[in-house]
Amino acid sequence: PADAKEELMNECEHIWKQMEECQSKLMLLGTETLPPSDAKLSLLMLQWKALTVDCRQWQARNPEIISTNPDVLLELGKEELRKVKSDLEMMMLTVQSKNKQLDEDLKREQQWYEEQKQMLDALNKIEEEANTEGERPSSTRDFNELMNKISKLKTFKKELLSALGEFLDEHFPLPEKSENTKKTKRSSAEPAVKLITLQEILEILINKILTTPHEPYITISESFWPPYIELLLRCGIALRHPKDPYKMRLQAFH
């Protein structure tokens, strides 16, 4: 490497000497005097010729290799790489500084965004509370209307059940007590079974299908008068269980 450096320095000194010789020749050419009348024109023509010759020389000139010594080329390559490395390091420092500035800007923007988001949430909450307060009278009014409707439905239900009970008591009364005692008495020691009215049977069927629609069947007990059961089955009001004859259900009219 030391020999290569010395050789490169010698070549540079040789080129520098050639440049000095060319400069001396130009200085000598520049000392020629020209007539005052044609001084400006002659100077321009001289410059034009010099530039033309210089242009032709550069066009005809081929790139010259500084040296064919591999050590010299290696040193030149290393120097060029050091310059490139230095430039890249400077660029990296610039980019890092720019990234740092961008990170700071991003943090400020995120902080501003969080503040705006909190403010927006607070405003939305205030608006929601205001809307809720504004809707309360309407909700209270709707609730009162609903309660009035429920009260009317309960009253109508009582009237309907009362009318149904009167109709059933008039047209489908229970059998006479003596007949009931004769048919239901099993022995002289056992008391008679108390039969329930047709209205009570219907209420049991209705309550069963409404409370447990997945299991609407009820068990037919001894308190159910058989003619009532036969009447409900024949009229299609009730259905007997397909596998258990002692169970029945209300027809699903709804």
Side-chain angles (χ1 to χ4, degrees):
D3 296 338
K5 186 175 182 180
E6 184 178 356
E7 182 180 352
L8 184 61
M9 292 294 295
N10 293 332
E11 290 183 2
C12 290
E13 289 179 358
H14 179 68
I15 294 173
W16 180 256
K17 288 180 181 180
Q18 289 180 352
M19 291 177 62
E20 288 180 345
E21 291 177 359
C22 292
Q23 186 177 5
S24 299
K25 291 179 180 180
L26 290 174
M27 292 295 293
L28 292 174
L29 292 174
T31 56
E32 296 180 359
T33 58
L34 296 173
S37 59
D38 298 333
K40 189 174 182 179
L41 178 60
S42 299
L43 182 60
L44 292 175
M45 291 297 295
L46 184 62
Q47 291 178 353
W48 177 75
K49 289 180 180 180
L51 291 173
T52 303
V53 173
D54 193 17
C55 179
R56 289 176 181 175
Q57 288 179 353
W58 279 106
Q59 289 178 350
R61 185 176 180 182
N62 293 324
E64 296 180 358
I65 300 176
I66 297 176
S67 176
T68 57
N69 191 335
D71 295 333
V72 174
L73 296 176
L74 179 62
E75 287 297 324
L76 291 175
K78 289 181 179 180
E79 183 65 23
E80 188 67 23
L81 288 176
R82 281 192 289 268
K83 290 181 180 179
V84 173
K85 179 183 176 183
S86 177
D87 294 339
L88 291 176
E89 288 177 349
M90 292 180 63
M91 184 181 296
M92 184 179 67
L93 292 175
T94 304
V95 172
Q96 288 177 349
S97 177
K98 187 68 175 178
N99 289 339
K100 185 178 180 181
Q101 183 67 30
L102 291 175
D103 289 338
E104 293 177 356
D105 294 341
L106 178 61
K107 289 180 180 179
R108 286 196 298 270
E109 292 294 333
Q110 288 178 344
Q111 183 178 1
W112 177 83
Y113 170 75
E114 292 296 333
E115 292 175 355
Q116 296 297 319
K117 185 178 179 181
Q118 292 176 2
M119 185 181 299
L120 181 61
D121 292 340
L123 292 175
N124 289 334
K125 186 176 181 180
I126 294 173
E127 182 183 4
E128 184 178 355
E129 291 177 354
N131 292 334
T132 303
E133 291 178 357
E135 292 176 356
R136 282 178 183 174
S138 177
S139 300
T140 304
R141 184 171 58 254
D142 294 340
F143 177 75
N144 292 333
E145 292 179 358
L146 181 61
M147 293 302 295
N148 291 332
K149 290 181 180 179
I150 293 175
S151 178
K152 291 180 180 179
L153 287 175
K154 288 182 178 179
T155 303
F156 178 73
K157 178 183 177 182
K158 290 180 181 179
E159 294 176 354
L160 186 62
L161 291 176
S162 178
L164 177 63
E166 293 177 358
F167 175 80
L168 294 177
D169 290 340
E170 180 180 356
H171 297 282
F172 303 97
L174 284 170
E176 296 295 333
K177 184 175 180 181
S178 59
E179 184 181 357
N180 182 22
T181 304
K182 181 179 179 181
K183 290 183 178 180
T184 57
K185 185 184 299 183
R186 295 184 179 179
S187 64
S188 58
E190 294 180 357
V193 177
K194 183 179 179 181
L195 299 178
I196 61 176
T197 62
L198 182 58
Q199 180 182 359
E200 291 174 334
I201 296 175
L202 289 173
E203 289 180 358
I204 293 173
L205 290 170
I206 293 172
N207 292 332
K208 183 64 175 178
I209 197 172
L210 292 178
T211 54
T212 56
H214 59 283
E215 185 60 36
Y217 290 94
I218 63 172
T219 302
I220 301 173
S221 65
E222 295 181 356
S223 60
F224 290 15
W225 193 34
Y228 284 165
I229 298 173
E230 189 68 21
L231 175 65
L232 295 175
L233 294 174
R234 285 181 177 273
C235 294
I237 299 175
L239 298 175
R240 196 182 294 274
H241 196 283
K243 296 182 180 180
D244 190 352
Y246 295 100
K247 289 185 178 182
M248 67 176 182
R249 55 163 289 179
L250 185 70
Q251 178 68 271
F253 296 103
H254 60 289

